[in-house]
Amino acid sequence: MPPQNRDADHGSQKVAADVVVVGAGLSGLVAAATAYAAGKTVAVLDQEPGASVGGQAHWSFGGLFMVNTPEQQRLGVRDSTELALSDWLASAAFDRSVDQQARDWAEAYVHFASGEKRSWLRSLGVGFFPLVQWAERGGYGPQGHGNTVPRFHVTWGTGPALVEPFLAKVLEGVDTGRVGLHFRHRALSLTTTAGRVTGVSGDVLQPSTAVRGQASGRVVMGSFEATAGAVVVTTGGIGGNHAQVRRQWPDDTAPDYMLSGVPASVDGEFLSAVESSGAALVNGDRMWHYPEGIHNYDPVWPKHGIRILPGPSSLWLDAEGHQLPAPLFPGFDSQGALRHIVGSGHGYSWFVLNRTIALKELALSGSEQNPDLTGKDFRLLATRLRPDSDAPIQRFMDKGVDFLQAATPMELASRMNHLTGSSLIDGDGLDSLIRARDSQVASRLGKDPQLSAIRASRRFATDKLMRVARPHRLTDPAHGPLIAIRLSVLTRKSLGGLTTDLRSRVLDDEGNNIPGLYAAGEAAGFGGGGMHGYRALEGTFLGGCLFTGRAAGRDAAASV
């Protein structure tokens, strides 16, 4: 049937299609494009205005976890499906009875990332930056958390370039009259007929001129009913809903203050409606928030934070000035560092470094913070290697409230205390720590495990070229001034979600599929209600949207 969207009496709208997709983020676009390519009519519903199509993926750095690629091989990286799966399972640490579907998805995803993922995306016109990055390095031994080798492939064009081919396919369907895009349609409940999910109903919200990411208002203008042979839920997670994040935080230990790494519209509210229809919603306490958040000096949404993507050389201190224990070095174990920081009784921490390290090692997550990669501009990209570069990190150093500079450790400690309105940082203690670290550098050998990790990192070509500074004294005036960066907890991803089988069909608490109902992306915990387990290896969230969205679109189309 052709998609329909007609106004009825009393402001009620009727929408009909073979497949209804709830959510116009990356996983929703992939599902919609796949179902349309299979010859089905599709209706895509989203509570936000059209400016926000693509959801969080548009804002992303575009990182993708891939295994044994030509990019890795050219850099001398030896990887394999077996090694990647071993790393994944060690990091996930599945330990619950509800984890079986998640583990199945994890194994399937690693094989996807080792196989057709790259060739499929290349066939769609997606390219990759040639220098593979090394995220979540672990440090707990061969059977512990972390990536044994670099696997973080940056999309050439960042997040928008990953969204583009799927959005283009959906827009082709709009032009042919077989896909309908229904923005400002907020889904509130599922419709079930004779035991099968047959549609969605909800509110039609007031039109909004809000730009991408801005709050768009929730004034209700009418209602809608959408009917379909299958419904795909791709409404994302809860990162913009701090109240829900706090409710789901393990042991009720969420910090008092958090930044948001996603817009306020990422509220997770529709998930409870799906659960009330019989779906199994699991692993809500497993979340992926970052300890390295900084305030955006030019915010788009409330409490807008940006994540620092650090190299390994900064000293990482808790709020009281104590160095985090090994292996909690920058870039090694985000969740381990988060738990340690929150467990200290404070919701923030510090990087202490100098200008040389900042310009060499600190990148910022997000498409808008990487105009060279987003714009596919090689000339602008080359300026990253210049010490006088007007890079985004330099602008944060100049304008960001979290960035402090000083000539001496004592002066830096004073400024750190002034920023937080406390006296937690002891100047003598900070001076002693920095000088002890510098003496380890001067020894050229030493006992400092962080320096050993830095030297090991520089054996990898990408790190030596653009991510890890040569070890040097922090107090060397040639590399100054000293810098302190206050880091806040930044909300981002849900690792749990709706339980799904490998066809993206939503399951109930007994493990039975709910006819007509599918889920993909973050709403499904990126597959099976939590394919990452307790920890992710990075680059797996966008890929999870691609993999689950495609599976949902295929099976939903085949079922109608």
Side-chain angles (χ1 to χ4, degrees):
M1 69 181 80
Q4 301 175 37
N5 181 16
R6 63 179 186 271
D7 292 329
D9 294 339
H10 310 297
S12 178
Q13 295 184 10
K14 304 293 184 182
V15 177
D18 295 325
V19 177
V20 165
V21 178
V22 186
L26 179 59
S27 60
L29 294 176
V30 174
T34 303
Y36 161 67
K40 305 303 178 181
T41 60
V42 182
V44 181
L45 313 174
D46 198 285
Q47 66 183 359
E48 293 307 296
S52 289
V53 69
Q56 298 175 59
H58 175 89
W59 296 101
S60 74
F61 194 34
L64 292 170
F65 175 96
M66 291 192 289
V67 178
N68 197 25
T69 63
E71 289 79 13
Q72 287 175 300
Q73 293 165 11
R74 282 192 289 269
L75 293 168
V77 174
R78 298 179 181 179
D79 202 3
S80 68
T81 305
E82 294 75 21
L83 182 61
L85 183 58
S86 175
D87 285 350
W88 189 296
L89 295 178
S91 298
F94 295 120
D95 62 356
R96 296 174 178 173
S97 60
V98 296
D99 284 339
Q100 185 55 56
Q101 294 291 341
R103 184 182 177 116
D104 290 345
W105 271 100
E107 294 184 5
Y109 181 74
V110 170
H111 282 87
F112 170 66
S114 305
E116 65 171 314
K117 181 179 182 180
R118 183 183 182 279
S119 60
W120 175 52
L121 291 173
R122 291 291 293 146
S123 74
L124 297 174
V126 177
F128 305 103
F129 183 54
L131 298 180
V132 183
Q133 308 292 308
W134 198 349
E136 288 295 298
R137 304 178 188 221
Y140 296 97
Q143 294 182 308
H145 163 67
N147 284 295
T148 299
V149 298
R151 299 187 175 107
F152 190 89
H153 297 67
V154 178
T155 301
W156 186 233
T158 67
L162 198 57
V163 171
E164 193 279 330
F166 303 102
L167 178 58
K169 191 67 175 179
V170 168
L171 293 178
E172 175 193 299
V174 172
D175 290 341
T176 63
R178 297 187 64 78
V179 175
L181 291 173
H182 306 276
F183 298 107
R184 306 301 283 157
H185 282 58
R186 178 174 61 182
L188 295 177
S189 62
L190 295 171
T191 303
T192 302
T193 305
R196 181 181 180 89
V197 173
T198 55
V200 182
S201 62
D203 295 331
V204 177
L205 303 177
Q206 184 180 58
S208 173
T209 58
V211 300
R212 182 183 296 276
Q214 284 186 337
S216 58
R218 292 294 180 263
V219 175
V220 176
M221 302 296 291
S223 61
F224 76 89
E225 294 180 359
T227 58
V231 173
V232 183
V233 177
T234 60
T235 51
I238 64 171
N241 184 344
H242 283 200
Q244 187 64 31
V245 169
R246 293 180 192 284
R247 282 191 289 269
Q248 293 183 197
W249 198 286
D251 302 319
D252 195 29
T253 57
D256 294 334
Y257 181 80
M258 297 183 289
L259 296 175
S260 286
V262 295
S265 58
V266 185
D267 54 32
E269 292 183 358
F270 190 59
L271 292 176
S272 59
V274 180
E275 183 182 26
S276 67
S277 295
L281 183 63
V282 299
N283 296 320
D285 60 325
R286 294 177 181 169
M287 297 178 283
W288 189 259
H289 307 307
Y290 290 109
E292 311 104 329
I294 54 175
H295 293 79
N296 191 343
Y297 64 82
D298 187 20
V300 177
W301 55 78
K303 295 186 176 180
H304 187 173
I306 301 294
R307 186 201 174 197
I308 289 180
L309 302 172
S313 298
S314 300
L315 290 175
W316 200 343
L317 313 182
D318 66 20
E320 298 180 3
H322 306 300
Q323 187 175 11
L324 271 60
L328 301 181
F329 313 131
F332 276 63
D333 178 11
S334 293
Q335 297 313 289
L338 177 64
R339 285 197 297 271
H340 182 89
I341 291 162
V342 172
S344 73
H346 303 280
Y348 67 95
S349 60
W350 298 95
F351 282 162
V352 172
L353 60 162
N354 58 29
R355 178 177 173 80
T356 293
I357 294 173
L359 295 180
K360 177 85 170 187
E361 296 196 7
L362 301 187
L364 299 169
S365 183
S367 57
E368 81 283 13
Q369 301 300 331
N370 294 275
D372 47 2
L373 293 166
T374 302
K376 304 180 181 180
D377 188 333
F378 277 109
R379 182 173 298 178
L380 184 59
L381 180 64
T383 67
R384 286 194 182 214
L385 304 179
R386 295 203 322 248
D388 60 342
S389 169
D390 182 28
I393 192 65
Q394 179 64 59
R395 292 176 212 146
F396 272 85
M397 289 167 61
D398 295 338
K399 302 177 182 180
V401 65
D402 299 300
F403 288 73
L404 306 171
Q405 301 184 42
T408 68
M410 294 293 290
E411 181 185 359
L412 191 65
S414 176
R415 294 187 178 184
M416 293 162 74
N417 286 330
H418 182 265
L419 179 62
T420 60
S422 71
S423 58
L424 293 176
I425 304 297
D426 175 67
D428 290 330
L430 181 61
D431 181 81
S432 176
L433 175 60
I434 291 175
R435 294 190 184 282
R437 187 265 187 194
D438 284 357
S439 71
Q440 292 290 302
V441 173
S443 77
R444 296 183 179 270
L445 293 173
K447 61 184 179 182
D448 184 349
Q450 183 172 6
L451 284 174
S452 297
I454 293 167
R455 292 178 177 123
S457 296
R458 283 178 57 83
R459 293 168 54 195
F460 174 51
T462 298
D463 281 349
K464 187 173 183 178
L465 177 64
M466 63 180 299
R467 293 294 286 144
V468 183
R470 184 190 299 272
H472 60 272
R473 292 185 298 113
L474 290 179
T475 53
D476 185 341
H479 297 282
L482 290 170
I483 296 171
I485 308 172
R486 180 182 57 182
L487 307 171
S488 301
V489 174
L490 179 75
T491 63
R492 186 63 67 85
K493 294 295 183 185
S494 309
L495 297 186
L498 298 166
T499 304
T500 56
D501 64 14
L502 288 176
R503 294 161 60 182
S504 285
R505 300 182 301 178
V506 176
L507 307 181
D508 62 20
D509 288 327
E510 302 300 319
N512 302 307
N513 75 286
I514 300 175
L517 184 60
Y518 297 81
E522 194 173 352
F526 303 95
M531 74 170 183
H532 298 93
Y534 289 94
R535 280 182 169 99
L537 291 174
E538 289 290 15
T540 58
F541 301 140
L542 293 172
C545 289
L546 297 171
F547 192 44
T548 59
R550 189 179 68 167
R554 282 175 173 173
D555 208 80
S559 73
V560 298

